[in-house]
Amino acid sequence: MGRPMTPKVFPGVPADLVEVVERHGRVVAAGDNRAVLADFRPDRIGQLIASPSLPESLTSAELLDLRPEEGGLFAARIRYTAADGGQTVLRSRWIRLPEGWRVTEVRNLPATAPRMTTAGPAEDGSDTPHWEGLRAGEVRVPRCDGCATWIWPYRPICPRCHGFELSWVAVEPTGTVYSWTRTWQPFAPEFSGHLPFVTVLAELPQAGGRRLLGILLDADGVDPLVGEPVRAEIEGAADSGWPVLRWRLDRREVRQG
Ligand SMILES: [Zn+2]
C-alpha cells in the first residue's frame, strides 16, 4: 500500500506538520534510524533516543491524534503495532525550528513509573525491615525506643540520645510534598519508556517530619505544589523482587473546594 490518498485533517494543525508526523511514524515503524534521528531536535538527540521504549519489529504506525498546545507546540499520538500484534502508543511534541518541524519531546503512554534496579534493602541489610514492611502493605519507619525520635534515613544509633534500641513502626501512609523534580534524562537504562517521571520527597508529620522519596503516579503534565497532600501506594514486583513505594497526589479536597 502507498500513502493514503486523503491525509487526515486535524483542526488548528498546519498541513505540512501532519505530513511530517505521518512520515515520522512510517520511518519509526520501518526502523529507519537515520530518518528518525533527522526528525529530532539536534540539541536533545541523546535524550530523545533513550526516552521511549518500542518493540524491535514494528509493522505499522497510525497517527491517532495531533493537536496544538501552548507555546507553539503540537502534540501527536502515534500507535505502533509490532509483528506479534502488540501495540505501543508514543506521544511526541513538535516544534517549528528554522530548519523545519522537529520532535522536542517524546514519551510512552500511558505514563508508567520506572522501577530502579537498586530497589530493595541496602547491602548490609540495615533497612530490611522497611522493605519487609512494604511487602506487608505498610510504611515502616524506625523510632528510637529511648527518646521516641524518628530516624530516617536509617542509622543504627539515635542521633539525639545515641541509643541503640529502636523499633520499626508502621505509620499512616500519607504526607505532604516537601520537594519534587521531573527527570527528563535517561540516567539509567531502566528509565527508557518511563520518561519523563516525577520524584517526590514527601514529609511525614506523623513520623516527626521525616521525608521519604518516591516516584509520583499519574504525573504526566502534572506539577505538584509544595505542601500538597500525597498518599503512598505500594507497588508489588512482577517477579519475586521487592515492592516499591509510590506517591499519589491526594487532590480530592481541592476538587471539592
Ligand atoms: Zn533516642
Side-chain angles (χ1 to χ4, degrees):
M1 290 290 285
R3 296 172 57 173
M5 296 303 286
T6 316
K8 288 184 181 177
V9 176
F10 298 95
V13 179
D16 65 328
L17 176 60
V18 180
E19 204 173 303
V20 166
V21 174
E22 290 199 316
R23 182 190 48 76
H24 178 74
R26 286 196 299 274
V27 296
V28 169
D32 184 347
N33 290 329
R34 261 181 80 176
V36 173
L37 293 188
D39 286 335
F40 287 167
R41 225 179 119 148
D43 58 339
R44 290 192 182 174
I45 280 185
Q47 174 198 332
L48 293 169
I49 288 173
S51 289
S53 171
L54 274 172
E56 289 276 328
S57 52
L58 299 171
T59 55
S60 65
E62 186 190 355
L63 176 56
L64 300 175
D65 187 46
L66 184 53
R67 62 178 66 183
E69 290 191 333
E70 285 177 18
L73 297 177
F74 292 83
R77 283 187 306 127
I78 302 176
R79 181 169 60 208
Y80 295 97
T81 303
D84 66 1
Q87 295 190 316
T88 307
V89 175
L90 299 188
R91 184 191 62 213
S92 49
R93 288 199 164 104
W94 295 74
I95 188 170
R96 193 201 289 272
L97 297 181
E99 60 266 35
W101 291 104
R102 291 292 182 272
V103 177
T104 187
E105 189 195 317
V106 62
R107 76 157 309 140
N108 285 63
L109 290 180
T112 50
R115 176 172 286 271
M116 313 299 176
T117 53
T118 51
E123 264 182 40
D124 63 2
S126 56
D127 62 351
T128 299
H130 173 75
W131 294 92
E132 287 173 340
L134 294 180
R135 274 199 174 146
E138 293 180 345
V139 176
R140 293 179 189 161
V141 180
R143 186 177 59 189
C144 174
D145 290 346
C147 73
T149 293
W150 296 90
I151 304 164
W152 192 263
Y154 171 80
R155 270 167 280 177
I157 305 169
C158 172
R160 183 157 172 255
C161 74
H162 303 150
F164 286 91
E165 301 298 321
L166 55 87
S167 303
W168 290 81
V169 182
V171 298
E172 192 198 321
T174 59
T176 55
V177 175
Y178 177 79
S179 183
W180 65 276
T181 187
R182 179 170 273 120
T183 299
W184 293 90
Q185 299 290 342
F187 293 116
E190 62 263 35
F191 290 0
S192 284
H194 307 282
L195 287 164
F197 61 88
V198 169
T199 308
V200 162
L201 183 59
E203 190 166 276
L204 278 58
Q206 66 278 26
R210 297 287 86 82
R211 299 168 190 145
L212 268 66
L213 268 179
I215 291 177
L216 189 69
L217 295 171
D218 291 338
D220 184 41
V222 175
D223 291 348
L225 301 171
V226 168
E228 244 193 305
V230 286
R231 174 168 288 277
E233 282 187 21
I234 297 165
E235 187 182 291
D239 47 25
S240 57
W242 292 92
V244 290
L245 182 152
R246 310 290 198 196
W247 293 111
R248 185 185 290 284
L249 287 174
D250 194 357
R251 288 189 163 172
R252 284 169 298 176
E253 291 82 355
V254 176
R255 287 200 195 100
Q256 282 164 8

